[in-house]
Amino acid sequence: VCRSNKSPWVCLTCSSVHCGRYVNGHAKKHYEDAQIPMTNHKKAEKQEKVQHTVCMDCSSYSTYCYRCDDFVVNDTKLGLVQKVREHLQNLENSAFTSDRHRKRKLLENSSLNSKLLKVNGSTTALCATGLRNLGNTCFMNAILQSLSNIQQFCCYFKELPAVELRNGKTAGRRTYHTRSQGDNNVSLVEEFRKTLCALWQGSQTAFSPESLFYVVWKIMPNFRGYQQQDAHEFMRYLLDHLHLELQGGFNGVSRSVILQENSNLSASNKCCINGASTVVTAIFGGILQNEVNCLICGTESRKFDPFLDLSLDIPSQFRNKRTKNQESGPMCTLRDCLRSFTDLEELDETELYMCHKCKKKQKSTKKFWIQKLPKVLCLHLKRFHWTAYLRNKVDTYVEFPLRGLDMKCYLLEPENSGPESCLYDLVAVVVHHGSGVGSGHYTAYAAHEGRWFHFNDSTVTLTDEETVGKAKAYILFYVERQAKPGAEKL
């Protein structure tokens, strides 16, 4: 219909080919049009004729059912879906298709050569790769691009050995997940590794993270479907599941062994969350001290809580500020949010503390100290809050430093830290554009080799520090400033 050659989907009922939902959605319209004639039949006859309209992506060979709004992982008894895949694969390998691929490669190379930027008077190639939006997946793309620019974290996954999921008859061919294979072959770590490897290679203008999104759907049911999701919630689920999978054995090799052999992360720098340490906790893991004091008897209770990120409230006195240049009132800064998080506060009636000395719930105060800072400090600004019936967004601009964020004053024992170990430099920012958590759009800014880039799904543009500083940040990623030579390094 639209003459697009991107992401062609073939209907397995009538063999017609349309563009998929990632382009203009004509495959979905084809499904909807096929349902209209059925409405004129009797109910019983309609039930007999209704079919599960299944389409296949001619590029990735994944199958999708519009009626179920889900990917199809099983096959017919006669293996008809696999036969279609093999037929498409044979077409792909034909001389005609190979010739077309060669022409396409020449066009891609010429377009890459045109992607040149003037930096300090000299011409340089833009090697950044965007991520295609698979249907409201900007929340995932913004997080993936941010994590891909955290060098210590990204390099670990990129250096992992590739795990081949195929064997026997399927050796050397693409692998497809089926119910008979079971979910043991679904690896979040492996698909995450492949995605990170595809970024910053400069070989393509945009990468489609379909395989990773498929695994996300399999192991994180909360993110199934194509509605907008919360980027911070996705980041936490992603890191937690990567941490859990890295703890277990994979391909016969314990991940803890790989961590010890392939990285120079020292044991003293590891923070354990839910079991053994992994690269997730070694880099993002910190420790909070939660100090609660009973106001009646003065009993003090201390508890240590590991964290992967800190969620900071935007103080209420700043919540009505809309723009950076608004004159009335002081500007909200990241330090205001950190101070609000760590300051002493009296718990309200709904959060009464069970005092072991008084043997009952009493009024008390609470204060947070940071007992151990992480290598990468992730700060989440709580822009979404519940009112009586709605979840509103706090659109306040929060000023944040691009370099030299000093965390020393929030430490429990600042005298034990080195002069450089409490200073952090910004490496990535996730921004939410729009008014609601279930709508809007996510983009990310990230620094790579001294230059700042703006990642807007498949579009990547070079930007500057001034533009980054004006962003209404949702998630901030700060990297600990490198210690001087001779000190212990990550």
Side-chain angles (χ1 to χ4, degrees):
V1 176
C2 60
R3 299 293 178 185
S4 172
N5 61 354
K6 296 178 181 177
S7 186
W9 285 27
V10 58
C11 174
L12 298 189
T13 305
C14 67
S15 298
S16 63
V17 179
H18 296 84
C19 66
R21 78 158 71 218
Y22 313 151
V23 189
N24 297 315
H26 285 120
K28 185 180 181 183
K29 189 176 186 305
H30 168 69
Y31 156 70
E32 290 168 348
D33 292 345
Q35 307 306 302
I36 294 171
M38 296 179 185
T39 57
N40 299 324
H41 294 278
K42 293 179 182 178
K43 191 174 181 181
E45 190 176 348
K46 181 183 173 183
Q47 286 177 344
E48 285 179 10
K49 292 206 170 189
V50 167
Q51 295 180 350
H52 290 263
T53 307
V54 178
C55 289
M56 181 179 290
D57 187 326
C58 299
S59 302
S60 67
Y61 304 148
S62 56
T63 52
Y64 185 84
C65 178
Y66 276 110
R67 189 161 176 235
C68 300
D69 195 25
D70 201 354
F71 286 102
V72 181
V73 294
N74 57 336
D75 203 340
T76 65
K77 289 181 180 178
L78 299 175
L80 296 177
V81 175
Q82 184 58 30
K83 287 181 179 178
V84 175
R85 286 188 180 124
E86 290 172 358
H87 180 63
L88 288 174
Q89 219 164 15
N90 290 333
L91 287 173
E92 187 180 359
N93 294 331
S94 68
F96 171 74
T97 312
S98 297
D99 183 59
R100 192 171 61 183
H101 280 187
R102 276 197 298 272
K103 289 179 181 176
R104 188 183 300 168
K105 198 71 181 175
L106 286 170
L107 288 171
E108 285 178 358
N109 289 337
S110 63
S111 67
L112 280 171
N113 291 333
S114 67
K115 289 177 67 184
L116 298 174
L117 297 169
K118 290 280 186 180
V119 180
N120 298 328
S122 62
T123 305
T124 179
L126 173 62
C127 60
T129 300
L131 286 167
R132 290 196 180 97
N133 192 314
L134 308 181
N136 281 330
T137 56
C138 56
F139 68 93
M140 178 177 76
N141 292 347
I143 294 298
L144 291 175
Q145 292 286 15
S146 298
L147 295 178
S148 77
N149 286 285
I150 298 172
Q151 190 176 6
Q152 300 160 324
F153 185 68
C154 181
C155 286
Y156 171 80
F157 286 93
K158 287 165 74 173
E159 290 169 7
L160 284 177
V163 178
E164 296 299 329
L165 299 180
R166 42 189 181 264
N167 51 39
K169 293 180 180 178
T170 58
R173 288 159 44 189
R174 301 188 194 191
T175 304
Y176 310 95
H177 301 284
T178 64
R179 237 169 236 170
S180 60
Q181 286 177 306
D183 286 348
N184 293 332
N185 282 342
V186 176
S187 169
L188 182 64
V189 170
E190 173 65 359
E191 294 305 332
F192 185 66
R193 182 194 70 80
K194 288 178 182 176
T195 303
L196 293 181
C197 288
L199 301 175
W200 292 107
Q201 288 185 341
S203 58
Q204 50 191 334
T205 54
F207 173 74
S208 184
E210 292 174 18
S211 298
L212 176 62
F213 196 41
Y214 171 86
V215 175
V216 168
W217 277 33
K218 292 291 289 184
I219 65 176
M220 306 180 203
N222 297 22
F223 297 97
R224 286 181 183 170
Y226 291 93
Q227 66 271 28
Q228 185 63 278
Q229 302 281 359
D230 184 83
H232 174 250
E233 187 181 359
F234 172 74
M235 182 195 76
R236 284 307 312 268
Y237 269 88
L238 178 68
L239 291 179
D240 287 344
H241 279 84
L242 286 171
H243 173 64
L244 289 171
E245 192 173 310
L246 285 166
Q247 285 183 92
F250 192 72
N251 201 30
V253 182
S254 170
R255 284 296 187 194
S256 59
V257 173
I258 295 173
L259 181 66
Q260 290 166 12
E261 291 179 353
N262 291 345
S263 69
N264 51 5
L265 302 170
S266 67
S268 61
N269 285 332
K270 294 177 183 178
C271 169
C272 295
I273 299 173
N274 298 328
S277 175
T278 67
V279 68
V280 175
T281 53
I283 287 180
F284 290 96
I287 300 174
L288 281 176
Q289 178 180 288
N290 185 356
E291 192 175 288
V292 180
N293 282 282
C294 176
L295 291 175
I296 307 302
C297 70
T299 299
E300 186 179 272
S301 172
R302 292 178 183 177
K303 189 173 72 170
F304 292 99
D305 297 317
F307 67 88
L308 293 178
D309 69 321
L310 297 177
S311 289
L312 311 177
D313 279 307
I314 296 173
S316 55
Q317 65 266 31
F318 299 109
R319 288 187 184 177
N320 292 326
K321 280 184 70 62
R322 289 284 168 183
T323 63
K324 181 179 179 179
N325 299 321
Q326 189 171 338
E327 294 179 3
S328 60
M331 185 185 296
C332 182
T333 67
L334 186 60
R335 190 165 289 280
D336 291 320
C337 300
L338 284 163
R339 195 179 295 119
S340 174
F341 178 77
T342 55
D343 274 356
L344 186 73
E345 67 167 313
E346 186 173 331
L347 298 175
D348 59 32
E349 296 292 329
T350 60
E351 298 179 295
L352 292 178
Y353 164 66
M354 182 65 185
C355 179
H356 298 293
K357 189 172 181 181
C358 300
K359 304 293 183 185
K360 63 178 181 178
K361 290 186 176 182
Q362 300 283 31
K363 283 190 173 182
S364 55
T365 59
K366 179 180 75 172
K367 180 171 176 60
F368 282 122
W369 295 96
I370 298 177
Q371 202 254 352
K372 175 191 171 294
L373 282 165
K375 294 294 175 186
V376 174
L377 178 65
C378 179
L379 301 175
H380 161 235
L381 299 179
K382 293 159 81 170
R383 292 198 172 273
F384 301 106
H385 67 100
W386 288 99
T387 55
Y389 301 103
L390 298 170
R391 199 178 185 190
N392 291 334
K393 182 182 177 184
V394 180
D395 206 34
T396 304
Y397 170 78
V398 178
E399 188 178 46
F400 54 90
L402 268 70
R403 55 181 64 85
L405 173 65
D406 193 349
M407 295 294 292
K408 195 165 190 173
C409 60
Y410 310 109
L411 278 177
L412 183 64
E413 298 173 341
E415 65 277 3
N416 294 336
S417 61
E420 293 283 311
S421 61
C422 300
L423 292 177
Y424 286 81
D425 298 321
L426 189 70
V427 70
V429 187
V430 173
V431 181
H432 177 269
H433 311 266
S435 58
V437 67
S439 59
H441 182 61
Y442 287 99
T443 66
Y445 293 95
H448 185 82
E449 295 180 355
R451 294 185 293 169
W452 280 95
F453 293 86
H454 184 213
F455 297 92
N456 183 3
D457 288 333
S458 56
T459 305
V460 183
T461 52
L462 195 65
T463 187
D464 53 41
E465 290 187 355
E466 186 181 357
T467 304
V468 176
K470 290 177 181 177
K472 292 182 180 178
Y474 182 46
I475 306 171
L476 296 152
F477 296 90
Y478 282 92
V479 175
E480 182 184 44
R481 191 170 285 181
Q482 287 294 317
K484 292 177 181 179
E488 184 183 48
K489 292 184 180 180
L490 180 68

PDB file of all heavy atoms in Angstrom, residues 122-135:
ATOM      1  N   SER A 122      37.695  19.894  11.821  1.00  0.00           N
ATOM      2  CA  SER A 122      38.035  18.677  11.088  1.00  0.00           C
ATOM      3  C   SER A 122      36.786  17.823  10.873  1.00  0.00           C
ATOM      4  O   SER A 122      35.835  17.906  11.635  1.00  0.00           O
ATOM      5  CB  SER A 122      39.081  17.862  11.863  1.00  0.00           C
ATOM      6  OG  SER A 122      38.562  17.468  13.116  1.00  0.00           O
ATOM      7  N   THR A 123      36.814  17.007   9.841  1.00  0.00           N
ATOM      8  CA  THR A 123      35.667  16.165   9.511  1.00  0.00           C
ATOM      9  C   THR A 123      35.787  14.815  10.206  1.00  0.00           C
ATOM     10  O   THR A 123      36.832  14.188  10.181  1.00  0.00           O
ATOM     11  CB  THR A 123      35.580  15.937   7.995  1.00  0.00           C
ATOM     12  OG1 THR A 123      35.560  17.208   7.355  1.00  0.00           O
ATOM     13  CG2 THR A 123      34.332  15.179   7.618  1.00  0.00           C
ATOM     14  N   THR A 124      34.708  14.405  10.830  1.00  0.00           N
ATOM     15  CA  THR A 124      34.715  13.118  11.530  1.00  0.00           C
ATOM     16  C   THR A 124      33.414  12.377  11.255  1.00  0.00           C
ATOM     17  O   THR A 124      32.391  13.002  10.984  1.00  0.00           O
ATOM     18  CB  THR A 124      34.900  13.318  13.056  1.00  0.00           C
ATOM     19  OG1 THR A 124      34.887  12.049  13.705  1.00  0.00           O
ATOM     20  CG2 THR A 124      33.782  14.150  13.664  1.00  0.00           C
ATOM     21  N   ALA A 125      33.444  11.069  11.314  1.00  0.00           N
ATOM     22  CA  ALA A 125      32.245  10.262  11.031  1.00  0.00           C
ATOM     23  C   ALA A 125      31.395  10.110  12.284  1.00  0.00           C
ATOM     24  O   ALA A 125      31.916   9.950  13.378  1.00  0.00           O
ATOM     25  CB  ALA A 125      32.656   8.893  10.517  1.00  0.00           C
ATOM     26  N   LEU A 126      30.075  10.183  12.125  1.00  0.00           N
ATOM     27  CA  LEU A 126      29.141   9.934  13.221  1.00  0.00           C
ATOM     28  C   LEU A 126      28.867   8.436  13.260  1.00  0.00           C
ATOM     29  O   LEU A 126      28.165   7.900  12.413  1.00  0.00           O
ATOM     30  CB  LEU A 126      27.839  10.720  12.988  1.00  0.00           C
ATOM     31  CG  LEU A 126      26.689  10.456  13.961  1.00  0.00           C
ATOM     32  CD1 LEU A 126      27.101  10.845  15.370  1.00  0.00           C
ATOM     33  CD2 LEU A 126      25.452  11.221  13.555  1.00  0.00           C
ATOM     34  N   CYS A 127      29.453   7.743  14.233  1.00  0.00           N
ATOM     35  CA  CYS A 127      29.351   6.286  14.270  1.00  0.00           C
ATOM     36  C   CYS A 127      28.250   5.801  15.198  1.00  0.00           C
ATOM     37  O   CYS A 127      28.082   4.604  15.385  1.00  0.00           O
ATOM     38  CB  CYS A 127      30.693   5.680  14.697  1.00  0.00           C
ATOM     39  SG  CYS A 127      31.232   6.217  16.334  1.00  0.00           S
ATOM     40  N   ALA A 128      27.500   6.731  15.801  1.00  0.00           N
ATOM     41  CA  ALA A 128      26.443   6.338  16.728  1.00  0.00           C
ATOM     42  C   ALA A 128      25.306   5.647  15.980  1.00  0.00           C
ATOM     43  O   ALA A 128      24.947   6.032  14.871  1.00  0.00           O
ATOM     44  CB  ALA A 128      25.915   7.558  17.463  1.00  0.00           C
ATOM     45  N   THR A 129      24.745   4.610  16.598  1.00  0.00           N
ATOM     46  CA  THR A 129      23.648   3.845  16.007  1.00  0.00           C
ATOM     47  C   THR A 129      22.377   4.050  16.834  1.00  0.00           C
ATOM     48  O   THR A 129      22.404   3.909  18.055  1.00  0.00           O
ATOM     49  CB  THR A 129      23.998   2.344  15.972  1.00  0.00           C
ATOM     50  OG1 THR A 129      25.174   2.156  15.194  1.00  0.00           O
ATOM     51  CG2 THR A 129      22.862   1.528  15.363  1.00  0.00           C
ATOM     52  N   GLY A 130      21.289   4.368  16.165  1.00  0.00           N
ATOM     53  CA  GLY A 130      20.010   4.534  16.852  1.00  0.00           C
ATOM     54  C   GLY A 130      19.328   3.197  17.072  1.00  0.00           C
ATOM     55  O   GLY A 130      19.779   2.152  16.594  1.00  0.00           O
ATOM     56  N   LEU A 131      18.229   3.229  17.809  1.00  0.00           N
ATOM     57  CA  LEU A 131      17.425   2.035  18.072  1.00  0.00           C
ATOM     58  C   LEU A 131      16.016   2.263  17.544  1.00  0.00           C
ATOM     59  O   LEU A 131      15.377   3.264  17.889  1.00  0.00           O
ATOM     60  CB  LEU A 131      17.375   1.736  19.577  1.00  0.00           C
ATOM     61  CG  LEU A 131      18.644   1.144  20.195  1.00  0.00           C
ATOM     62  CD1 LEU A 131      18.574   1.204  21.714  1.00  0.00           C
ATOM     63  CD2 LEU A 131      18.845  -0.300  19.744  1.00  0.00           C
ATOM     64  N   ARG A 132      15.549   1.348  16.698  1.00  0.00           N
ATOM     65  CA  ARG A 132      14.213   1.508  16.128  1.00  0.00           C
ATOM     66  C   ARG A 132      13.139   1.376  17.212  1.00  0.00           C
ATOM     67  O   ARG A 132      13.264   0.583  18.125  1.00  0.00           O
ATOM     68  CB  ARG A 132      13.966   0.459  15.035  1.00  0.00           C
ATOM     69  CG  ARG A 132      14.794   0.715  13.781  1.00  0.00           C
ATOM     70  CD  ARG A 132      14.264  -0.085  12.595  1.00  0.00           C
ATOM     71  NE  ARG A 132      15.066   0.177  11.413  1.00  0.00           N
ATOM     72  CZ  ARG A 132      16.061  -0.588  11.001  1.00  0.00           C
ATOM     73  NH1 ARG A 132      16.374  -1.680  11.676  1.00  0.00           N
ATOM     74  NH2 ARG A 132      16.746  -0.292   9.926  1.00  0.00           N
ATOM     75  N   ASN A 133      12.090   2.162  17.053  1.00  0.00           N
ATOM     76  CA  ASN A 133      10.951   2.078  17.963  1.00  0.00           C
ATOM     77  C   ASN A 133      10.035   0.956  17.487  1.00  0.00           C
ATOM     78  O   ASN A 133       9.565   0.965  16.348  1.00  0.00           O
ATOM     79  CB  ASN A 133      10.199   3.417  17.975  1.00  0.00           C
ATOM     80  CG  ASN A 133       9.198   3.502  19.112  1.00  0.00           C
ATOM     81  OD1 ASN A 133       8.433   2.567  19.350  1.00  0.00           O
ATOM     82  ND2 ASN A 133       9.194   4.620  19.803  1.00  0.00           N
ATOM     83  N   LEU A 134       9.782  -0.022  18.355  1.00  0.00           N
ATOM     84  CA  LEU A 134       8.975  -1.191  17.986  1.00  0.00           C
ATOM     85  C   LEU A 134       7.515  -1.025  18.391  1.00  0.00           C
ATOM     86  O   LEU A 134       6.776  -1.996  18.478  1.00  0.00           O
ATOM     87  CB  LEU A 134       9.562  -2.457  18.634  1.00  0.00           C
ATOM     88  CG  LEU A 134      11.056  -2.700  18.392  1.00  0.00           C
ATOM     89  CD1 LEU A 134      11.507  -3.980  19.066  1.00  0.00           C
ATOM     90  CD2 LEU A 134      11.368  -2.745  16.907  1.00  0.00           C
ATOM     91  N   GLY A 135       7.107   0.203  18.652  1.00  0.00           N
ATOM     92  CA  GLY A 135       5.745   0.476  19.091  1.00  0.00           C
ATOM     93  C   GLY A 135       5.750   0.928  20.533  1.00  0.00           C
ATOM     94  O   GLY A 135       5.622   0.122  21.448  1.00  0.00           O
TER      95      GLY A 135
END
